[in-house]
Structures are given as C-alpha cells and as structure tokens.
Amino acid sequence: MTAVLPVRRPGAARTLPPAGDPRFAIGSWADSAVQLLGRIVPWLARGLVGLAVLAFAVLAVGPHVLGYRTMTMLTGSMAPKIAPGDVAIVTPIATSEITEGMVITYHMPVGSHALVTHRVVSVVKGADGSITVQTKGDANDAVDPWKATLQGDTAYQVRGVIPEIGHLIEALRTPVVSQALLYGAPALLAGWLLLVIWRPARTEEDRT
C-alpha cells in the first residue's frame, strides 16, 4: 500500500493555527509576563539601590558629617514618643545646658552600664561642676531607681525619631538577610541588565 504525503511548495508559508488555539494563549501570556517583569525589575532594583543609599547616608555618612548619632530603641519605656524599633537621632549638648523635660541618652550607672534614653525629671549641679540627673521613661510608673552623674562635658539629647527603621536594621544584620542581599542584589541587577540588553527595540509599527 502506498501512502501519499503532502509536499509543501518551496517558499510556501505554514498555515497558522485557528483563532482560539491554546498556543496563542500561551504565547500571549508569556509575552505579557516578560513585559510585566521588564517593567517591575528595573523599578525594584532602583528602589533597593535608593533605599540602600538612603540608609547608608543616614546611618553611616550623616553621623560623621553632621555630628549626630543614631540609637535604636529596644524597649517600650518611652512609648508612644519612641516605640521599640524606632531609631532616635541624638545630638551632643553641653551637660551644663541639660534641663528638666529633656530626653537624653546616657550610660546608666548600674548593672551593665548600658545606654538608656529617658526623660530628665531632676538636675542637680554640684559645687565641683558635676551634673547629676534623675530620669524616667514616659511609659514607666516610677522614676529610674538611680541618679546618674554625667561624665565629661557633653551629653546627647534626642532631636528626632525615625519610626520602625530599627526593625529593618536588625533584620539586615541577620545572617540570612545579609547573605540574601550580598548575592541577591547583584543577581537582580544582572537580570535587569540582561532584560535591557535582550529586549527587542520597538519599531514605529509596534508603537502604532
């Protein structure tokens, strides 16, 4: 038995699938996904780079150029003015200028001598020029159970608060996130560059 196979003439075009063929839907979905990814990735990369530059400027460059310091609040003793995870911006102030009502950051004179950021409730100036303060957290019922004699001529007063950024700083310090940023950011940037390079140029007909 002899089978006859159709022979395509040289130069003849292939017959396109009929409208509604699933292959059309798959191709259209893939094109849309690539276009959407091409729009999202550049903005995501720019956002990450911008956030990194801003954080670097505020946390690393600013303290050296403008003289302020940043302190991450770990407890709720100063809520709601300074909540846990907020970053307080403090600037130096002469100890002789400290008055009641100021919020200052200093080393507590007991225990581990950790930094504490509380409001001044009393100031005592000694005959030798020493400054002794007693403080209280806004959210605490009682004053701190110590009086601190400030060392040196300079203390730090809270001038501003950046909400919630302390949580981001702590997250960036975790090994998983730091490794993800170390390898993920370059990969994201490389993917963006590849999309820019391989993206076909739009012709006037495509724009129409």
Side-chain angles (χ1 to χ4, degrees):
M1 182 176 182
T2 303
V4 179
L5 298 177
V7 178
R8 185 180 297 109
R9 297 191 309 276
R14 291 179 176 273
T15 303
L16 293 176
D21 189 284
R23 285 174 289 179
F24 274 125
I26 295 174
S28 176
W29 180 87
D31 291 341
S32 300
V34 170
Q35 292 176 5
L36 180 61
L37 187 63
R39 293 191 184 98
I40 293 176
V41 170
W43 286 106
L44 183 59
R46 292 168 189 165
L48 289 176
V49 171
L51 182 61
V53 170
L54 179 61
F56 180 76
V58 172
L59 301 176
V61 178
H64 295 286
V65 175
L66 302 177
Y68 65 81
R69 297 289 183 269
T70 57
M71 308 287 178
T72 300
M73 196 68 179
L74 302 178
T75 69
S77 62
M78 283 297 294
K81 181 180 177 63
I82 312 175
D86 292 352
V87 169
I89 298 178
V90 300
T91 58
I93 182 177
T95 54
S96 59
E97 297 180 5
I98 292 178
T99 59
E100 294 180 7
M102 286 184 176
V103 179
I104 64 172
T105 296
Y106 66 97
H107 289 278
M108 65 173 64
V110 297
S112 62
H113 302 283
L115 285 171
V116 60
T117 300
H118 279 176
R119 191 178 302 278
V120 177
V121 294
S122 69
V123 180
V124 177
K125 297 182 179 180
D128 57 353
S130 62
I131 303 295
T132 301
V133 299
Q134 189 165 25
T135 56
K136 174 183 177 298
D138 289 354
N140 295 343
D141 295 330
V143 297
D144 297 328
W146 63 75
K147 292 183 178 181
T149 300
L150 302 179
Q151 303 297 319
D153 299 326
T154 303
Y156 283 91
Q157 180 184 6
V158 175
R159 299 290 188 177
V161 177
I162 305 177
E164 302 295 336
I165 195 174
H167 295 304
L168 176 61
I169 296 173
E170 293 299 322
L172 292 176
R173 290 175 178 171
T174 60
V176 174
V177 177
S178 61
Q179 290 296 317
L181 289 175
L182 179 63
Y183 298 105
L188 187 63
L189 182 59
W192 174 33
L193 292 175
L194 290 176
L195 282 175
V196 171
I197 294 171
W198 288 348
R199 185 189 306 169
R202 295 181 61 189
T203 63
E204 194 63 34
E205 182 180 352
D206 293 333
R207 296 189 184 94
T208 304

